[in-house]
Amino acid sequence: QVQVVESGGGLVQPGGSLRLSCAASLSIFSIYAMDWYRQAPGKERELVAGITSGGSTNYADSVKGRFTISRDNAKNTVYLQMNSLKPEDTAVYYCYAHRSWTGYWGQGTQVTVSS
């Protein structure tokens, strides 16, 4: 049973920073692409950032220049460094590990940006 577990969410003031972590119990973590999605209340889930097995990254326009995705294959972990947070970044953040037609979701971690 593959487990994908997010951590690091919480309450932060506008302009603040958080770092999310996602640990996946995959036997060969390095061959999986890893994505961060988020879902705000009443909205659809959206892709925030992704990193391929080769380390290429992509970002939603709304977070470019503020968020950074990275991975540590030795720790089976992907990170999302979030800086200059805005109230509109408030959402549940989900980690998604995928390769070919196989994908695994985490349970999500809540990020709330509020003063």
Side-chain angles (χ1 to χ4, degrees):
Q1 181 83 9
V2 173
Q3 289 189 315
V4 179
V5 180
E6 303 95 337
S7 61
L11 174 64
V12 62
Q13 292 187 343
S17 298
L18 280 176
R19 188 176 82 153
L20 305 183
S21 300
C22 169
S25 64
L26 296 162
S27 58
I28 311 177
F29 176 82
S30 61
I31 66 174
Y32 283 79
M34 301 295 295
D35 297 333
W36 284 99
Y37 283 76
R38 68 185 179 188
Q39 187 165 20
K43 294 188 177 182
E44 293 188 354
R45 192 172 296 191
E46 63 173 355
L47 178 65
V48 175
I51 186 165
T52 67
S53 58
S56 298
T57 59
N58 63 283
Y59 298 92
D61 287 342
S62 59
V63 307
K64 280 181 182 176
R66 300 189 298 123
F67 290 11
T68 302
I69 188 171
S70 61
R71 66 189 298 158
D72 185 338
N73 291 334
K75 295 182 178 180
N76 279 28
T77 300
V78 63
Y79 304 97
L80 185 67
Q81 178 66 44
M82 306 186 294
N83 299 327
S84 302
L85 282 162
K86 305 174 181 180
E88 50 264 43
D89 294 318
T90 295
V92 178
Y93 283 71
Y94 297 91
C95 183
Y96 180 55
H98 60 99
R99 174 179 178 266
S100 298
W101 303 109
T102 301
Y104 305 95
W105 288 96
Q107 293 299 305
T109 185
Q110 176 70 46
V111 172
T112 302
V113 184
S114 175
S115 55

